[in-house]
Amino acid sequence: PLQMLASARLDGNGDALPFSLRFAPSPLAPGMRAELRARVSQDGVLTQHLPPQQIDPNASASLGPLRLLSAP
């Protein structure tokens, strides 16, 4: 990534984790995009990841439930 707009760390217990990620909107240069990415680690080992989800950094939006995939 060119720039990280926000980051959050959540500790879970196996249940769904509601979250919101707040960041200051910033104009994107033509041809650039903003993506939401996520990683799940257990005891320091990557176990799941979220495929990049394109988002509009200038709008507030709910992405709904996010489907994580097993890590390769």
Side-chain angles (χ1 to χ4, degrees):
L2 181 63
Q3 177 182 5
M4 184 179 299
L5 300 177
S7 177
R9 178 187 167 105
L10 304 172
D11 292 321
N13 61 6
D15 292 334
L17 292 172
F19 75 98
S20 74
L21 190 59
R22 298 181 188 278
F23 55 90
S26 62
L28 296 177
M32 296 185 76
R33 65 176 187 243
E35 294 179 340
L36 172 67
R37 295 175 179 233
R39 302 181 323 167
V40 176
S41 298
Q42 184 173 4
D43 297 324
V45 176
L46 180 67
T47 58
Q48 295 179 309
H49 70 98
L50 175 71
Q53 305 289 309
Q54 193 165 344
I55 60 171
D56 180 351
N58 300 309
S60 179
S62 172
L63 299 177
L66 301 171
R67 181 173 216 92
L68 297 168
L69 302 177
S70 294

